[in-house]
Amino acid sequence: MPRQLAIAGNNAVWSGTNPQTGRVNIYLYDIATARLQQVTKDGPGTPLDPGVSQDYIIWTNLTDGSGDVDLYRIASGTTTPLVSAPSYQMETAIGRNTTAWVDNTTGGDFDIAISPLGGSGGVILSEPGDDRYPDVSSDGQYVAWIKFLENRSAVYLYDMAKGNATRITGESARPDSVAVDGNLVVYSDLRNGNHDIYVYTIGTGTETQVTQDPYDQSYPDVSGGMIVWMGNNTGRWDIYRTSAG
């Protein structure tokens, strides 16, 4: 499942089933040392939606219809509860010292919660509509996500330095997956009848269509100016990449 995987630097994390116990856990793979470790312990709850930075892993622990957020410090191997509430938290993300997740603390629809790690100034963006699939840039400056309202969807971007959220896609857009890093936001979009990949340059405010064909491309990611996605151009799903220029 694409949203059960995350990578930052030499750290790759995912949620997977322990073959000995049959329980779901979070796993960390160090690319530089080829070391694999199980991060969570077999216990109450189901850990899902992991995010990772150079120093931390974040995830949702699903228990009895609600979800809390836990934070793991890689250097010390210690886990700390980040959010413990009767409401539902899910789809966590982290970049440097910025954390984000989907939250329904305000009741009704899902909102985006953004919090600086170990600091003050957290915010819940509780405007109408369901806000889903947050992603945090590796430097922690930007949070991008998809807002679903009635039969429309749009990409929004939150700037930690400015403290404001901006809609970055037009009225014709139908995005359903998003990622952000550096100066770029990438997303898959259904506006032309099939999933295509688009890239938005934050500095110039311009949108560019990356793929233009009758095939589906989805679940993009971006790092260091390189864009990757999965596409079914050959009749099966493969991984593609291109430079943003």
Side-chain angles (χ1 to χ4, degrees), residues 149-165:
L149 181 62
E150 298 175 344
N151 62 345
R152 295 169 292 154
S153 61
V155 176
Y156 278 76
L157 186 69
Y158 186 86
D159 187 324
M160 291 293 292
K162 297 179 180 178
N164 64 358

Side-chain angles (χ1 to χ4, degrees), residues 16 36 53 57 59 91-92 97 113 121 157 168 175 187 190 194-195 208 235 242:
L36 174 66
S53 67
I57 303 171
W59 66 85
E91 297 169 10
T92 61
N97 292 323
L157 186 69
I168 64 172
Y187 39 96
L190 267 167
N194 64 286
H195 289 89
T208 304
T242 188

Side-chain angles (χ1 to χ4, degrees), residues 7 23 57 59 87 89 104 109 168 183 185 188 212 227:
I7 187 169
R23 298 188 63 88
I57 303 171
W59 66 85
S87 55
Q89 288 83 33
N104 72 342
D109 56 19
I168 64 172
N183 195 40
V185 184
S188 56
Q212 302 183 52
I227 303 170

Side-chain angles (χ1 to χ4, degrees), residues 3-22:
R3 294 189 179 91
Q4 299 303 326
L5 301 161
I7 187 169
N10 285 320
N11 299 323
V13 299
W14 62 89
S15 61
T17 303
N18 184 319
Q20 273 104 27
T21 66

Side-chain angles (χ1 to χ4, degrees), residues 174-185:
R174 296 177 59 194
D176 62 358
S177 183
V178 67
V180 59
D181 192 57
N183 195 40
L184 303 175
V185 184

